[in-house]
Amino acid sequence: MSLRTMFALRSLSRPALLRYTAAAQFHASSHCSGAKVAVVLSGCGVYDGTEIHEASAILVHLSRAGAEAQMFAPDVSQMHVIDHGKGQPVENESRNVLSESARIARGNITDLAKLNVSNHDAVIFPGGFGAAKNLSTFAVDGKDCKVNKEVERVLKNFHNAGKPIGLCCISPVLAAKVLPGVDVTVGHEEEEGGKWPYAGTTQAITALGAKHTVKEVTISYLNSLFSSLLFSSLLFSSLLFSSLLFSSLLFSLKSLKKSEL
């Protein structure tokens, strides 16, 4: 165990540490060798694309479990470009979502239009504002947003096939828009003094006709009706959220594999 991990564990409360330990033990015994998981990116950088920490955590945990990850992104222009040092839009600059996502994938990325549900066991959408700006228009239009046609196709195809759908951070709004009546979570429904800064998203989710279920950041949410694993991450410890969430995803994948036997 690294010094960094030891320091992070020491900073956790006893109940949180117990939950982390249990999740880590489960994760250590979780193997999905041969499982093929599609990871859909939305650019590179939290404010105008994919949240890089979340994408990295996804890829690390899938790799440790023996799953094969393949990355995809739509071949479209970003809504805009944000200077991440200043937090401000950059004037007169345009970037392509597929090209920017290739930074995370080290070039090994495929146009989302080529994603075929029959070739994968699950799909995961990391968070980041790109999900609300590039994969949809949620950042601008809220409940009246439109979802990229390829994103909509992928979500509906995996849903109809009964295969797991992982949705991190703000990404559950994509499912809320295209899967009528879906039950999702983005955490809590009140800001609680800034602890949940995007709690207002829950109002848009319910306005879309979806159901929102309150969950803690350390609890992944498995909706068996829609065969969708729905994540809540936001602004909490990635160390804790990663182990718990991906233990549940791997369990879901193993269960799916067994049901096919």
Side-chain angles (χ1 to χ4, degrees):
M1 182 181 293
S2 69
L3 290 175
R4 184 175 182 180
T5 300
M6 291 176 64
F7 177 80
L9 290 177
R10 287 173 59 188
S11 67
L12 295 175
S13 65
R14 180 173 175 77
L17 180 58
L18 290 174
R19 290 195 297 269
Y20 170 81
T21 302
Q25 290 174 344
F26 179 88
H27 185 275
S29 63
S30 297
H31 298 284
C32 287
S33 180
K36 296 183 178 181
V37 182
V39 180
V40 180
L41 305 179
S42 59
C44 183
V46 62
Y47 298 128
D48 59 12
T50 303
E51 215 296 346
I52 298 173
H53 292 180
E54 292 177 12
S56 298
I58 288 168
L59 297 173
V60 166
H61 282 272
L62 290 176
S63 176
R64 286 177 176 175
E68 178 184 339
Q70 182 176 2
M71 284 168 275
F72 296 85
D75 187 4
V76 296
S77 296
Q78 290 185 185
M79 176 184 138
H80 60 186
V81 177
I82 297 292
D83 181 326
H84 280 59
K86 299 177 181 178
Q88 298 293 327
V90 178
E91 299 295 333
N92 301 318
E93 184 171 347
S94 177
R95 297 187 184 183
N96 178 273
V97 174
L98 181 61
S99 296
E100 288 297 294
S101 298
R103 295 174 181 271
I104 297 175
R106 292 186 171 184
N108 187 16
I109 195 162
T110 303
D111 187 343
L112 186 60
K114 297 180 180 179
L115 196 164
N116 189 325
V117 65
S118 64
N119 296 332
H120 297 84
D121 299 301
V123 64
I124 305 177
F125 290 78
F129 281 94
K133 294 179 177 180
N134 305 329
L135 303 187
S136 72
T137 62
F138 181 79
V140 176
D141 300 323
K143 66 181 182 63
D144 298 317
C145 68
K146 295 181 180 180
V147 174
N148 174 277
K149 65 179 183 179
E150 293 300 335
V151 172
E152 180 174 0
R153 175 186 64 82
V154 167
L155 285 170
K156 288 183 175 179
N157 285 353
F158 274 85
H159 163 60
N160 292 335
K163 295 184 176 182
I165 301 172
L167 300 160
C168 300
C169 198
I170 192 63
S171 294
V173 300
L174 301 173
K177 179 66 178 180
V178 304
L179 300 177
V182 69
D183 190 346
V184 300
T185 183
V186 291
H188 284 208
E189 296 177 349
E190 301 293 336
E191 290 192 9
E192 300 177 18
K195 184 178 179 181
W196 298 89
Y198 304 111
T201 301
T202 62
Q203 298 174 9
I205 286 174
T206 55
L208 287 168
K211 178 183 177 182
H212 181 265
T213 298
V214 174
K215 289 290 179 179
E216 298 297 330
V217 68
T218 56
I219 302 174
S220 60
Y221 183 44
L222 177 61
N223 181 337
S224 58
L225 176 63
F226 286 90
S227 298
S228 302
L229 187 65
L230 303 164
F231 301 132
S232 169
S233 58
L234 299 180
L235 302 177
F236 288 79
S237 169
S238 60
L239 172 66
L240 187 59
F241 116 80
S242 297
S243 292
L244 285 153
L245 296 183
F246 287 98
S247 292
S248 296
L249 174 60
L250 298 177
F251 177 79
S252 179
L253 280 171
K254 288 198 296 182
S255 298
L256 183 64
K257 288 286 188 180
K258 289 180 180 179
S259 69
E260 294 174 348
L261 297 178

